[in-house]
Amino acid sequence: MLKTLATTLALALAAAVHAQEPFPSRPITIVVPNPPGGMNQITAQPLAIVMEKLLKQPVVVSNKPGGTGAVGAAFIANQKPDGYNLLVTTPNLFLVIEKNKLFGEEAPYKLEQIAPLALTSADPLILVVQASNPAKSVADFVAAARAKQGEMAYSSSGPYGITHVPMEMFLHAAGLKLRHVPTTGGGPAITQLLGGHVDIHDGGLAAVLPHLKSGKFRALANYGAKRSPRLADVPTMKELGYDIEAYLWVGLFTTAGVPDPVFKALRESIRTAIADPQFQTAMTNSGVDVDYRDAPEFKQFFDADHKRLAAAVKAIGRVDEKK
């Protein structure tokens, strides 16, 4: 009896000590669910550096690619909700769910298992071709692709990912058929176009901007609601008569169920890190316009974007079965 009581008291004391443990008291991991080179990496790397400086604990970036971001997202969804594992990801987080619904498959995680912390940026997608491509405009490309239906190809970050669904929206609206070359992330998808393995790609502004500046790519259209100051001469899809709007936003998430004090501490540290000149400069140098929104505002943005792109996935249907 006394032994049982002592054990119970010891466990209660340990729990109390743990509850009072300052956060963070050990390293934090930021999971990037893609290989290096895409928008998630562009955001995660400088953010980790600044957060480490602020929190006085190591903040490690860990790449966990696969399944259009599903592998990394599932990892976060199934972690202990203690705030020590964060996810930097894009609309792929919910597009994976919508793809599984479409094909009647079980998703590797549920959105309820992952909690939004902050939005960091919302870049419009940019439709690009190699500079050597004869197409100087969307009209040029459409004409060429119609003459070779099913022969040209495009790359994406993965099936039903954020660089796949908007491309299919465009192809559907233009009446085109192109061969889909899925990869494991934004970086590899861009590499496919750089190597001449595909004819066209739609990537985040920051990811394609260096190749536009170097003269390797040519921009044909902007998927945003308005022209980008960085590419003022590139028309929007809507200007060209296509009722399409899509953004490669990047947000921070953690496992759902994190205790309120820890969740609040994470929100505050992320807010401070994003406002830090070091992070701001890194984003500017990468061609990213920071668009910070705290958890409540981000959740509203997330839900609205989810609704819009879920409808697009449903309208597009099982595209790979048609090709």
Side-chain angles (χ1 to χ4, degrees), residues 200-247:
I200 198 165
H201 172 68
D202 56 0
L205 175 58
V208 301
L209 192 59
H211 307 295
L212 292 170
K213 288 182 174 179
S214 70
K216 293 178 181 177
F217 286 174
R218 178 186 303 117
L220 300 183
N222 173 352
Y223 281 78
K226 58 184 180 181
R227 294 195 182 200
S228 168
R230 296 180 187 274
L231 298 173
D233 60 337
V234 178
T236 67
M237 282 289 190
K238 291 188 177 183
E239 285 181 70
L240 299 173
Y242 299 98
D243 189 19
I244 302 170
E245 188 176 338
Y247 299 89

Side-chain angles (χ1 to χ4, degrees), residues 46-318:
L47 185 68
I49 292 169
V50 177
M51 285 185 69
E52 186 168 300
K53 179 178 67 175
L54 293 170
L55 298 174
K56 313 299 183 188
Q57 288 287 345
V59 179
V60 181
V61 175
S62 175
N63 293 84
K64 295 185 182 297
T68 319
V71 171
F75 174 82
I76 292 296
N78 292 290
Q79 292 304 296
K80 181 180 178 181
D82 55 14
Y84 284 95
N85 290 283
L86 310 182
L87 175 70
V88 173
T89 194
T90 66
N92 288 348
L93 182 64
F94 57 67
L95 285 171
V96 166
I97 302 286
E98 297 307 320
K99 175 212 168 187
N100 282 313
K101 285 181 185 176
L102 188 66
F103 286 87
E105 300 168 349
E106 185 176 352
Y109 57 87
K110 296 178 181 178
L111 288 179
E112 294 77 15
Q113 293 178 275
I114 300 172
L117 284 164
L119 178 74
T120 63
S121 62
D123 267 356
L125 288 171
I126 306 297
L127 190 68
V128 294
V129 294
Q130 275 196 329
S132 59
N133 192 302
K136 299 293 192 294
S137 66
V138 168
D140 288 347
F141 183 83
V142 169
R146 279 181 180 161
K148 298 181 178 181
Q149 287 281 32
E151 293 182 32
M152 290 188 177
Y154 71 93
S155 58
S156 82
S157 56
Y160 289 88
I162 190 52
T163 61
H164 179 205
V165 172
M167 178 66 82
E168 284 293 338
M169 292 165 71
F170 164 60
L171 299 179
H172 184 77
L176 300 179
K177 288 185 179 179
L178 270 68
R179 184 167 50 86
H180 179 207
V181 179
T183 68
T184 55
I190 287 173
T191 300
Q192 287 292 311
L193 183 59
L194 284 169
H197 306 296
V198 297
D199 301 279
I200 198 165
H201 172 68
D202 56 0
L205 175 58
V208 301
L209 192 59
H211 307 295
L212 292 170
K213 288 182 174 179
S214 70
K216 293 178 181 177
F217 286 174
R218 178 186 303 117
L220 300 183
N222 173 352
Y223 281 78
K226 58 184 180 181
R227 294 195 182 200
S228 168
R230 296 180 187 274
L231 298 173
D233 60 337
V234 178
T236 67
M237 282 289 190
K238 291 188 177 183
E239 285 181 70
L240 299 173
Y242 299 98
D243 189 19
I244 302 170
E245 188 176 338
Y247 299 89
L248 203 171
W249 54 257
V250 176
L252 277 156
F253 300 80
T254 191
T255 311
V258 170
D260 286 344
V262 174
F263 194 77
K264 191 173 181 180
L266 279 172
R267 286 170 58 188
E268 180 60 24
S269 63
I270 291 167
R271 183 193 66 78
T272 304
I274 290 174
D276 190 282
Q278 186 176 352
F279 179 78
Q280 293 279 333
T281 299
M283 292 292 97
T284 299
N285 290 343
S286 296
V288 180
D289 295 319
V290 175
D291 184 3
Y292 168 74
R293 302 186 203 187
D294 195 12
E297 293 76 25
F298 179 30
K299 182 66 166 61
Q300 291 179 355
F301 176 92
F302 180 94
D303 289 344
D305 199 48
H306 182 190
K307 184 178 180 180
R308 182 161 51 84
L309 287 180
V313 169
K314 188 175 180 181
I316 292 165
R318 300 188 180 198

